[in-house]
Amino acid sequence: METNKKSSFSGRLGYVMAAAGSAVGLGNIWRFPYLAAKYGGGTFLFTYIILAFTVGFALLVSETALGRKTGNNPIKAYKILGAKKLKIGGWLNSIIPMLIIPYYCVVGGWVCKYLFEYLRGSSQILTQDTYFSNFIANPISPAFWLVVFAVLLLLWLLKG
């Protein structure tokens, strides 16, 4: 007989950390200072904060409530609630993370490379204008660091 055990968070702290990581994201940490400087500093920051607390909070709460209410994945959740016209929302909630993961893995590989070089004592080399462009122009090095990041992430996830 097959058991249908669903995974869940081991505690509230795990959930809060996952929600915060999802909300903040590596992309925000990586691109946010650049975008804030490029698009007007304080004005951009003010707009960003308003959108994060209104739209972002509303989406986070509604997605969490939908999952808790149904206890299912997003696709089944919309079906259970009878929202047939909104069924595309369940598919988007399932597909978009799969599209985002490669981006995060590439950027995570860059972070691993920079961290490795910094710990190795090569911080002066990292500040050169051509360092990053030379790094990503090499077809092997970025792929290697992407794999390093993916393996570290896998080990982290296996540990729970």
Side-chain angles (χ1 to χ4, degrees), residues 61-88:
V61 169
S62 62
E63 187 173 334
T64 303
L66 183 63
R68 288 176 85 61
K69 172 76 174 166
T70 63
N72 281 295
N73 64 49
I75 299 167
K76 287 184 182 176
Y78 281 97
K79 188 175 183 180
I80 288 171
L81 292 177
K84 294 197 186 270
K85 290 183 180 180
L86 297 176
K87 196 165 110 176
I88 187 79

Side-chain angles (χ1 to χ4, degrees), residues 40-126:
T43 305
F44 177 80
L45 182 61
F46 181 70
T47 306
Y48 179 86
I49 290 171
I50 288 174
L51 289 173
F53 279 107
T54 55
V55 176
F57 181 74
L59 290 173
L60 178 66
V61 169
S62 62
E63 187 173 334
T64 303
L66 183 63
R68 288 176 85 61
K69 172 76 174 166
T70 63
N72 281 295
N73 64 49
I75 299 167
K76 287 184 182 176
Y78 281 97
K79 188 175 183 180
I80 288 171
L81 292 177
K84 294 197 186 270
K85 290 183 180 180
L86 297 176
K87 196 165 110 176
I88 187 79
W91 282 101
L92 287 174
N93 283 345
S94 298
I95 292 170
I96 287 175
M98 288 185 260
L99 297 174
I100 293 171
I101 287 294
Y103 168 77
Y104 280 141
C105 286
V106 169
V107 175
W110 297 347
V111 171
C112 287
K113 169 68 172 171
Y114 272 77
L115 179 62
F116 174 77
E117 292 296 337
Y118 176 77
L119 294 175
R120 207 172 79 160
S122 305
S123 58
Q124 292 297 327
I125 297 169
L126 298 175

